[in-house]
Structures are given as C-alpha cells and as structure tokens.
Amino acid sequence: MNLSWYEIGYQYNVHFGKERMNLSIAPTAAFALWDFSTELESNGEKNSRSYIKGTPRVGLEFEWFPVKRFSVSGKAIGSLPFNNILHIYTVVLTGKYDLIDKDRLKISLFMGVEYNQIDFEDSQTEPNHVKANMGPLGLAGAEIRF
C-alpha cells in the first residue's frame, strides 16, 4: 500500500520581536497531490487500485523562542472542509535547540511529535473509502542551515 503525498505551497512569515515575545507565525496555503495504490490478494486472485487526487490545504505555523538557543514550533494544516474531496490533516509540535549559530551556519537538534490523517471517499457505485490515521509519530533529527 502506498499513501504518499507531495505538497507545494506558500507561507507568509510574520515576526513579532517585542521583548519577551519573540514569536513568528506563518499563515500557509498549499496544494497536495496524494498518490494512493493498493493490491489485495486472496485465493490466488489479485485486485489492485491506484489513483492520484489533489486537495487544497490551509494552515498556520508558529515558532516561539522563550530563550536564546531554544525554540518551540508547531504546525496545523488541513484540507478545506468540502464533501467528496480528499482530506489530509497534519499537526506537528517540536522543540529545537541550536548547537551552533554563527554567521550563516546554524546547526540544530530537534525532537517532537506529529499526527497525520487521510480521509477520502468517492461517489462511485462501489465507493472507495480510505481512512488512515498515522500517529503519534516521534520526530528526532538534526538541521543544518547555511
């Protein structure tokens, strides 16, 4: 089974650098293409289905810097609530610590949690209904910017 999706979008970053606030928010508009395929086999018979569907998504991201080298960020983005379209919802919360922030080089470590949900039902005579809940998923890694 394949439940991949690819997304392209636009974010507008707004930074609030007032004392003790140091917060960035980013409204987001995007379009996702979902690539679904599955193959079922029973008693020697095979049945497969695959299709690509698109969906517009809107959301909001934030990053808050409570202290100099540590930040908390979050993201919530989802499909528009229309019937008979693909719905993909994503919620992410991470903490990041900057190990090095010198000139144009920035190396950070992060940990967090992510949750995704896909829900699609079409209106065929024998409808497809795919619903997948993925999460909570643990996130951990390093980020290098230059």
Side-chain angles (χ1 to χ4, degrees):
M1 180 180 291
N2 178 29
L3 293 170
S4 301
W5 74 86
Y6 310 94
E7 188 168 78
I8 187 165
Y10 177 76
Q11 285 185 323
Y12 183 77
N13 294 313
V14 180
H15 183 73
F16 302 98
K18 295 181 182 177
E19 187 177 325
R20 300 185 69 186
M21 190 169 185
N22 213 6
L23 173 71
S24 293
I25 62 169
T28 304
F31 186 80
L33 280 177
W34 180 52
D35 182 6
F36 172 81
S37 63
T38 186
E39 186 174 297
L40 302 172
E41 184 176 346
S42 177
N43 299 327
E45 298 287 324
K46 286 186 179 181
N47 185 7
S48 63
R49 256 199 184 155
S50 65
Y51 40 85
I52 295 176
K53 297 287 181 184
T55 185
R57 299 194 342 139
V58 294
L60 185 68
E61 292 189 28
F62 77 89
E63 188 168 19
W64 174 52
F65 300 86
V67 293
K68 185 175 180 173
R69 294 183 141 203
F70 179 74
S71 68
V72 176
S73 62
K75 170 176 146 178
I77 185 169
S79 300
L80 300 175
F82 299 128
N83 290 331
N84 296 324
I85 70 165
L86 167 66
H87 295 103
I88 301 175
Y89 302 102
T90 303
V91 177
V92 181
L93 183 64
T94 58
K96 182 167 57 172
Y97 181 77
D98 297 333
L99 294 173
I100 297 172
D101 189 359
K102 188 173 183 178
D103 298 323
R104 295 183 63 196
L105 176 66
K106 188 173 187 177
I107 300 175
S108 307
L109 299 176
F110 65 87
M111 288 185 73
V113 64
E114 179 173 348
Y115 180 82
N116 295 288
Q117 182 182 64
I118 298 173
D119 192 2
F120 173 70
E121 185 172 9
D122 64 16
S123 57
Q124 296 182 50
T125 307
E126 288 192 31
N128 297 306
H129 189 185
V130 178
K131 188 168 187 174
N133 293 308
M134 295 163 280
L137 305 169
L139 303 173
E143 178 180 85
I144 300 173
R145 293 183 183 196
F146 51 91

